[in-house]
Amino acid sequence: MKAPVALRALLLFLTAANLFGQAQRSEEEREADLKKRVVAALQVPPGSTVADVGCGDGFHTIPLARFLGPSGKVYAEDIDDKALYKLKQNLIKERLENVDVEKGLADDPKLSSDSLDAALIVNAYREMPAHEAMLRHIRTALKQNGYLVLMERITDQFEPLSREEQVKVHYLGTKFAKHELEAPSVYF
């Protein structure tokens, strides 16, 4: 049974809020620091296998691929064809060959069972209408000791709103994520 997956995801989700509020530095410095912190939050060594679910054009995929090195692997998954095309172009430009780009479905990231040391979702989870199914598939893809790093923009200001109302303003409160990550349906 993989119950520790939800607990690890929740703990990282709750601490991730600190990654987004670095206002007194340049945009480039904030981005570089954020990328380093995300890689560190994964707590995986070079040579590991990680999925970047909802990867977009590769904001986190590229630093992950560099960190994991040629013996590591990043599965970059998204449902947006334009973002995936841009990611492929960026990978060619960066000469990174340890990334597999995957067009997923709204309810399935198409990841192989027991293949991942960690999975990453940054600012995409709230946009997943089939989030329960996505969590189930990711849980299945994680190895026994693997875990999910879930990072979302959070603020107390929108906590009283419904999940749907929070998604409209591009936030997701911790109570919704906590409830969804701990839901028994994620484990079946």
Side-chain angles (χ1 to χ4, degrees):
M1 184 169 180
K2 297 185 181 181
V5 172
L7 179 59
R8 288 185 185 180
L10 175 63
L11 293 174
L12 291 166
F13 177 85
L14 294 174
T15 61
N18 297 330
L19 299 177
F20 299 103
Q22 307 164 10
Q24 300 192 352
R25 297 167 41 199
S26 74
E27 185 67 25
E28 294 81 19
E29 289 172 320
R30 285 192 305 271
E31 284 184 9
D33 187 51
L34 175 61
K35 290 173 184 178
K36 286 179 194 171
R37 290 173 143 210
V38 168
V39 169
L42 287 167
Q43 299 177 14
V44 294
S48 298
T49 302
V50 177
D52 184 1
V53 179
C55 66
D57 63 6
F59 185 83
H60 294 290
T61 303
I62 290 171
L64 273 172
R66 287 186 189 128
F67 172 78
L68 295 174
S71 64
K73 175 69 79 179
V74 178
Y75 291 97
E77 183 278 340
D78 207 296
I79 60 171
D80 184 334
D81 288 321
K82 289 179 184 176
L84 293 176
Y85 176 80
K86 188 173 178 184
L87 171 58
K88 288 177 185 175
Q89 298 306 308
N90 290 337
L91 292 171
I92 291 168
K93 180 177 145 189
E94 298 288 331
R95 297 182 179 171
L96 292 169
E97 297 178 2
N98 62 338
V99 178
D100 283 355
V101 178
E102 180 71 49
K103 176 155 169 67
L105 303 172
D107 63 349
D108 185 356
K110 296 185 174 182
L111 300 166
S112 299
S113 295
D114 295 313
S115 62
L116 303 175
D117 297 302
L120 173 67
I121 304 175
V122 179
N123 288 331
Y125 177 72
R126 67 177 176 267
E127 307 293 339
M128 297 176 180
H131 52 272
E132 235 178 41
M134 290 295 282
L135 289 175
R136 250 189 328 276
H137 286 292
I138 291 168
R139 184 203 153 272
T140 300
L142 289 167
K143 295 176 183 175
Q144 183 63 38
N145 293 321
Y147 55 93
L148 167 64
V149 174
L150 174 61
M151 296 182 177
E152 287 288 339
R153 293 174 56 190
I154 60 174
T155 180
D156 293 340
Q157 175 184 358
F158 301 115
E159 193 73 34
L161 302 178
S162 70
R163 187 184 205 286
E164 293 76 23
E165 292 170 316
Q166 289 184 37
V167 168
K168 286 179 187 175
V169 293
H170 304 287
Y171 282 90
L172 184 64
T174 56
K175 73 178 182 180
F176 289 106
K178 180 180 187 302
H179 173 74
E180 292 165 4
L181 290 168
E182 292 176 343
S185 59
V186 172
Y187 298 100
F188 301 105

